[in-house]
Amino acid sequence: MAYRKILVTGGAGFVGSHLALNWKREFPSAEVVALDNLKRRGSELAVPRLRAGGVTFLHGDVRMRDDVDAAGPADLIVECSAEPSVHAGYGQSPDYLVNTNLTGLINCLEHARRTGGDLLFLSSSRVYPIAGLRALPLVREGDRLVLAESNGPGWSAAGIAETFPLTGARSLYGATKLAAELLIEEYRAMYGLRAAIDRCGVIAGPWQMGKVDQGFVALWMVRHLFGGALSYSGFGGDGVQVRDILHIDDLFALAMLQTADWARSDGAVFNVGGGAGNSVSLRELTRHCAELTGRRLDIGCDAVTRPADIPYYVSDNSAVTQATGWQPQRGIDTILRDIHDWLIAGRAQLEPILGL
Ligand SMILES: NC(=O)c1ccc[n+]([C@@H]2O[C@H](COP(=O)([O-])OP(=O)(O)OC[C@H]3O[C@@H](n4cnc5c(N)ncnc54)[C@H](O)[C@@H]3O)[C@@H](O)[C@H]2O)c1
């Protein structure tokens, strides 16, 4: 669908800035507005990039309804604003997390209800409960954990499916995402909102301001290039925990398909990620980074498992592939190469923000 105006909340963040710029590139006649309060360190670097790409930057906070309304009516809202760390809220106030992730989403829903417009929501694999994911039968094989059985409720060798049981605690981050999904469903039923929800696994690529709590793929490459300490943390500190990784451009490709065909997308809730073929353990990631950079780091070991740590997550993309035909096209090598090249090219600007 050719939208005339697209509002991307969190539009100066890693995902939001990519989607906003790519959308503008794909549809030059569309007005694309990126709203962001620049809370994430490094998001300020997106502002000139957005402007140079023809995207309007609006400094605003999704927690404030007036700020969202200041963007004016949009045909499509892509909700990418968030406190995106699953570790947020532990041992500290949950206010910022809940108010941004949940109140912010409600403000977007209200904006859409009053002014019209479709919604694409960036949810998370973290809607699935921690205890359930920790209970997966895993064994160590070489440098990674693998599933010891072929399938169980909501999971198989292909990964975690949308049918994975939802009972149990999931972190406040995960709870805000699941609560947001429920509210979106109600707005669809009550107000006729058209909406699609993507439960994303790890997304990576250039312009991700990786830090210990979120964006570990970029962080790993940053440390290999700019120096600084890294450690394997949790589950004994062996570095064998596994995640699937999705290139940000593959996510954009999916967003294009979903928003072009609402007859299929409306009401859909999909697990979206790199998939089993694009999964990596921390030890394997270290090896990839060392090969690309020619630098071998002594990785520390922090055996303590934090409350929200999980040992294994791989997205089963079967449902989204069946519905849209979409599959990730870019493998781990491409993802790491793109991050590497971005860090090298932008070193002077990026090292003060991402280095130690
Ligand atoms: N990156 C991933 O691996 C991943 C995985 C699953 C889901 N997601 C989801 O995708 C979305 C985008 O994540 P990201 O990786 O781009 O994170 P990010 O931190 O790079 O981007 C989020 C942006 O939101 C902005 N923001 C924070 N609070 C705000 C507020 N109150 N008002 C306005 N803007 C605010 C930040 O400044 C930042 O620019 C989030 O909803 C996240 O939960 C990301």
Side-chain angles (χ1 to χ4, degrees), residues 24-40:
K24 185 67 187 173
R25 204 171 300 131
E26 203 71 25
F27 299 102
S29 63
E31 181 186 356
V32 181
V33 177
L35 181 144
D36 202 295
N37 70 350
L38 303 181
K39 167 80 162 38
R40 176 82 177 246

Side-chain angles (χ1 to χ4, degrees), residues 9-16 35-40 43 60-63 79-84 96 100-101 121-125 173 177 200-204 208-209 214:
T9 53
F14 163 55
V15 172
L35 181 144
D36 202 295
N37 70 350
L38 303 181
K39 167 80 162 38
R40 176 82 177 246
S43 288
D61 194 312
V62 290
R63 294 172 299 171
E79 222 296 61
C80 302
S81 67
E83 164 47 70
Y96 190 83
T100 293
N101 295 16
F121 181 64
L122 270 286
S123 188
S124 165
S125 58
Y173 168 75
K177 292 291 184 183
C200 298
V202 173
I203 311 162
Q208 184 168 38
M209 301 299 160
Q214 202 253 356

Side-chain angles (χ1 to χ4, degrees), residues 135-294:
L136 289 169
L138 297 166
V139 289
R140 182 169 175 169
E141 206 173 274
D143 278 343
R144 63 158 58 202
L145 294 170
V146 297
L147 292 165
E149 294 161 28
S150 55
N151 55 60
W155 61 268
S156 70
I160 310 297
E162 293 79 0
T163 49
F164 195 85
L166 283 171
T167 305
R170 52 186 51 77
S171 77
L172 272 177
Y173 168 75
T176 59
K177 292 291 184 183
L178 190 58
E181 291 187 8
L182 292 174
L183 287 166
I184 290 167
E185 185 57 26
E186 297 307 325
Y187 270 68
R188 284 186 61 253
M190 201 175 280
Y191 304 116
L193 174 79
R194 290 198 304 191
I197 295 170
D198 292 332
R199 292 176 173 168
C200 298
V202 173
I203 311 162
W207 296 105
Q208 184 168 38
M209 301 299 160
K211 52 182 184 173
V212 172
D213 273 5
Q214 202 253 356
F216 74 92
V217 180
L219 174 76
W220 234 250
M221 189 64 80
V222 164
R223 295 288 190 261
H224 277 81
L225 284 172
F226 300 166
L230 278 179
S231 59
Y232 299 133
S233 73
F235 306 104
D238 295 329
V240 290
Q241 56 265 60
V242 170
R243 296 289 188 279
D244 64 329
I245 319 288
L246 180 69
H247 194 294
I248 181 66
D249 289 341
D250 279 327
L251 181 63
F252 177 67
L254 175 61
M256 289 284 94
L257 288 172
Q258 290 180 303
T259 53
D261 187 359
W262 281 103
R264 282 171 186 241
S265 306
D266 185 23
V269 181
F270 291 130
N271 288 356
V272 170
N278 244 6
S279 67
V280 74
S281 73
L282 286 177
R283 293 181 89 89
E284 292 166 346
L285 183 60
T286 301
R287 205 170 53 237
H288 284 297
C289 289
E291 278 163 15
L292 258 177
T293 61

